[in-house]
Amino acid sequence: MTRLGEVFQRKSVNKAEVARKTGLSSPRISELTLNPKTKLTAAELYLIAKAIDEDPCKLLEYVCQDI
């Protein structure tokens, strides 16, 4: 699981709903939350943050804290 996946789990986020709100595919959302080798783009992070009611900057900081 990725850090983004941890956020989804903590907030009980529905991946299908996020996919609908962001325009990203459900398989892409699943990949971003489950596969640590998947690269998350800034645009995807921004769209996801807005869809789950998170501050994009704080989400970026949390997701990328090891970089």
Side-chain angles (χ1 to χ4, degrees):
M1 181 179 297
T2 64
R3 289 193 192 277
L4 183 60
E6 292 171 9
V7 172
F8 274 42
Q9 188 174 44
R10 185 177 69 237
K11 293 186 70 144
S12 299
V13 171
N14 180 312
K15 292 178 185 179
E17 182 72 14
V18 173
R20 186 187 63 74
K21 287 181 177 180
T22 62
L24 300 172
S25 69
S26 290
R28 179 65 178 160
I29 297 292
S30 289
E31 187 178 4
L32 290 169
T33 57
L34 297 173
N35 185 353
K37 293 183 180 184
T38 302
K39 302 294 183 197
L40 173 66
T41 68
E44 289 171 331
L45 183 128
Y46 181 81
L47 290 171
I48 291 168
K50 290 300 188 180
I52 65 172
D53 249 357
E54 283 284 327
D55 178 335
C57 293
K58 289 184 180 180
L59 186 59
L60 174 67
E61 194 172 283
Y62 179 72
V63 169
C64 299
Q65 66 184 320
D66 293 334
I67 297 176

